[in-house]
Amino acid sequence: MATGISTSLGSVLIHGYTAAGVYYEPYLTETYDVSTNTSTLSIAHRIRIMEEWGGRYDIPNSTPIYVTIDGTTTTFTPGNYGSVYPTNKAVTVATTTQNVTHNSDGTKTITISCRWNNSSAQYQGATSSKTVTLTTIPRASSMSFSTSQTMGTAYTFTISRASSSFTHTITWSFGGSSGTAVSSTSSTTPSFTPATATFAPKCTNATSGTITYTLNTYSGSSLVG
């Protein structure tokens, strides 16, 4: 696991009014796993009650809070605000953990929303939403090489690694046959010599042919792409 973003997601009024209302101030900490293309999110759900001129907009005891992260909803009940939570200070009322899967290119944007709910219409709080862009997880590396090559001559590939921890295997395909050109390397400039004895017989009635190279990217033993 690697460390991703760690950040406050800002402050949104979800109950009362600006000067003496209740604010939701989540704090997100992310770790991500390159091999599985997933992130683990730890969310500290923080509440801050504002007070102006001695007045504050408290809510009833045991009013549930509904938090939805990337489509998954969690419910928690903070308890008695008036006697437990100080004024004008963010207090963590719950911490939840959730795993999310990134897109195939390693990107991921999630939405976190929060709302109050109560049987009394007087306390039907607003819904707040935050959009968060997570760390882009490194995916498959890229490779460049010359389009002209001579049998029996060593040739160098240039690999642009998406992550310094990645290793790579390069395979070849030619004339209906296939094999491994470079096996499990951490080098960014590995080389390969197409043996004349192997490749020449595939050029039936021809002096040249087309060889296809494929770059396979690994994180540990897991194929990334």
Side-chain angles (χ1 to χ4, degrees), residues 30-95:
E30 174 200 18
T31 57
Y32 62 88
D33 189 331
V34 175
S35 61
T36 60
N37 198 31
T38 61
S39 283
T40 298
L41 309 179
S42 177
I43 310 291
H45 304 281
R46 304 185 303 179
I47 296 298
R48 179 166 55 91
I49 298 179
M50 296 296 291
E51 180 176 329
E52 184 180 54
W53 304 108
R56 51 188 273 163
Y57 204 102
D58 284 329
I59 63 173
N61 293 352
S62 303
T63 299
I65 301 174
Y66 299 88
V67 175
T68 301
I69 302 173
D70 197 38
T72 299
T73 300
T74 301
T75 304
F76 55 89
T77 305
N80 186 338
Y81 281 82
S83 62
V84 178
Y85 301 104
T87 300
N88 298 346
K89 181 179 179 180
V91 176
T92 299
V93 296
T95 300

Side-chain angles (χ1 to χ4, degrees), residues 1-224:
M1 300 290 286
T3 301
I5 63 173
S6 183
T7 182
S8 171
L9 302 182
S11 181
V12 178
L13 178 69
I14 58 174
H15 201 62
Y17 56 95
T18 303
V22 181
Y23 288 80
Y24 176 56
E25 301 179 351
Y27 192 94
L28 179 147
T29 301
E30 174 200 18
T31 57
Y32 62 88
D33 189 331
V34 175
S35 61
T36 60
N37 198 31
T38 61
S39 283
T40 298
L41 309 179
S42 177
I43 310 291
H45 304 281
R46 304 185 303 179
I47 296 298
R48 179 166 55 91
I49 298 179
M50 296 296 291
E51 180 176 329
E52 184 180 54
W53 304 108
R56 51 188 273 163
Y57 204 102
D58 284 329
I59 63 173
N61 293 352
S62 303
T63 299
I65 301 174
Y66 299 88
V67 175
T68 301
I69 302 173
D70 197 38
T72 299
T73 300
T74 301
T75 304
F76 55 89
T77 305
N80 186 338
Y81 281 82
S83 62
V84 178
Y85 301 104
T87 300
N88 298 346
K89 181 179 179 180
V91 176
T92 299
V93 296
T95 300
T96 59
T97 301
Q98 184 171 329
N99 294 326
V100 296
T101 299
H102 286 230
N103 302 319
S104 59
D105 62 357
T107 62
K108 181 64 176 179
T109 299
I110 63 170
T111 298
I112 299 177
S113 64
C114 173
R115 69 180 176 88
W116 298 98
N117 192 22
N118 189 271
S119 58
S120 170
Q122 178 184 359
Y123 298 108
Q124 296 289 342
T127 297
S128 69
S129 293
K130 289 286 184 179
T131 299
V132 184
T133 300
L134 301 180
T135 302
T136 297
I137 298 178
R139 304 320 294 150
S141 301
S142 60
M143 179 174 68
S144 62
F145 49 89
S146 172
T147 57
S148 178
Q149 189 172 8
T150 302
M151 295 181 192
T153 301
Y155 179 72
T156 299
F157 303 94
T158 300
I159 299 174
S160 297
R161 289 192 293 188
S163 171
S164 61
S165 64
F166 286 168
T167 58
H168 303 90
T169 294
I170 302 173
T171 59
W172 59 264
S173 176
F174 183 79
S177 298
S178 61
T180 300
V182 178
S183 180
S184 189
T185 182
S186 59
S187 172
T188 56
T189 55
S191 61
F192 171 63
T193 301
T196 302
T198 300
F199 288 85
K202 304 297 180 182
C203 296
T204 306
N205 298 322
T207 58
S208 64
T210 300
I211 184 170
T212 299
Y213 291 107
T214 301
L215 178 69
N216 300 286
T217 303
Y218 289 86
S219 174
S221 59
S222 300
L223 179 65
V224 172

